[in-house]
Amino acid sequence: RKEVEQDPGPFNVPEGATVAFNCTYSNSASQSFFWYRQDCRKEPKLLMSVYSSGNEDGRFTAQLNRASQYISLLIRDSKLSDSATYLCVVYSSASKIIFGSGTRLSIRP
Amino acid sequence: SQTIHQWPATLVQPVGSPLSLECTVEGTSNPNLYWYRQAAGRGLQLLFYSVGIGQISSEVPQNLSASRPQDRQFILSSKKLLLSDSGFYLCAWSRDNVLFFGSGTQLSVL
């Protein structure tokens, strides 16, 4: 079993739709969780951290479920510019930062 | 503010040739530094990380090596490239468990 697993997609949704991704992790001792966004041929960029209480940044909402060992990302009112690959990241230690393989999202007009 | 520089942006090298990729960080001291590789359509694989000058840890066996000659400089090297070394190489530094990446080097080994 992979340490961090994501649905690779692609998710193809119309503009304005709501879309959600999940990511599961295997190490129950993991400390911190993040969502990154990566555009084609570019470096990953931090989208948001994920907290146990859940957190929101504009149209984006992240949730952490430690009991079931998954994190989620919800995008509301999706825009064309949201098209990208979304990477789930799990931090256990300075030497153990594990990336999921990413979920591709394509927003169509 | 902190910035990270990585170069070159693209590189085409023949099999068997040497490699040197350089990364520097500005605006912080004693950062944790990382080299990742991303194969086409795949996730990021940690290659090396460093917690200080001269301190390098390798995560996977390979024909690559890394060095940290200065606090904010991290170098990825190879004496002889293989076809399988092709990929997108990313340098990163971390703060508060968050990674910040350089712009990456697209390496094609032919």
Side-chain angles (χ1 to χ4, degrees), chain A residues 28-55:
Chain A
S28 59
S30 299
Q31 299 177 23
S32 306
F33 307 87
F34 308 92
W35 283 103
Y36 278 70
R37 171 195 169 125
Q38 185 175 26
D39 293 295
C40 189
R41 299 182 185 275
K42 299 287 188 181
E43 75 274 23
K45 293 184 178 178
L46 179 67
L47 180 65
M48 57 198 305
S49 302
V50 188
Y51 304 116
S52 297
S53 55
N55 48 300

Side-chain angles (χ1 to χ4, degrees), chain B residues 37-103:
Chain B
R37 177 171 61 199
Q38 187 176 35
R42 305 285 295 276
L44 275 73
Q45 179 187 35
L46 178 62
L47 301 175
F48 300 96
Y49 74 96
S50 171
V51 298
I53 295 175
Q55 301 179 62
I56 309 293
S57 295
S58 173
E59 291 299 301
V60 293
Q62 60 218 327
N63 70 323
L64 299 170
S65 62
S67 62
R68 186 168 177 174
Q70 300 180 41
D71 182 44
R72 287 170 284 179
Q73 183 184 28
F74 205 22
I75 298 171
L76 182 70
S77 304
S78 174
K79 293 182 179 177
K80 288 186 178 182
L81 285 168
L82 307 172
L83 287 174
S84 57
D85 291 324
S86 293
F88 190 41
Y89 287 80
L90 290 155
C91 180
W93 70 282
S94 69
R95 180 185 68 201
D96 297 333
N97 301 349
V98 178
L99 284 172
F100 299 93
F101 289 91
S103 53

Side-chain angles (χ1 to χ4, degrees), chain A:
Chain A
R1 181 187 173 187
K2 289 183 181 178
E3 292 188 74
V4 177
E5 292 201 70
Q6 289 184 252
D7 183 340
F11 285 63
N12 189 316
V13 303
E15 200 172 3
T18 295
V19 61
F21 312 133
N22 280 341
C23 167
T24 58
Y25 62 94
S26 60
N27 184 357
S28 59
S30 299
Q31 299 177 23
S32 306
F33 307 87
F34 308 92
W35 283 103
Y36 278 70
R37 171 195 169 125
Q38 185 175 26
D39 293 295
C40 189
R41 299 182 185 275
K42 299 287 188 181
E43 75 274 23
K45 293 184 178 178
L46 179 67
L47 180 65
M48 57 198 305
S49 302
V50 188
Y51 304 116
S52 297
S53 55
N55 48 300
E56 192 173 302
D57 182 2
R59 298 181 292 108
F60 298 83
T61 300
Q63 297 265 347
L64 166 63
N65 185 317
R66 283 192 181 273
S68 301
Q69 295 184 202
Y70 76 85
I71 67 173
S72 63
L73 177 67
L74 181 78
I75 306 175
R76 290 182 300 277
D77 187 25
S78 53
K79 312 292 184 190
L80 294 175
S81 57
D82 294 333
S83 296
T85 297
Y86 291 83
L87 303 170
C88 163
V89 182
V90 176
Y91 176 102
S92 299
S93 68
S95 63
K96 203 166 179 65
I97 306 175
I98 308 298
F99 283 74
S101 53
T103 298
R104 285 173 48 204
L105 173 65
S106 179
I107 308 298
R108 62 180 187 270

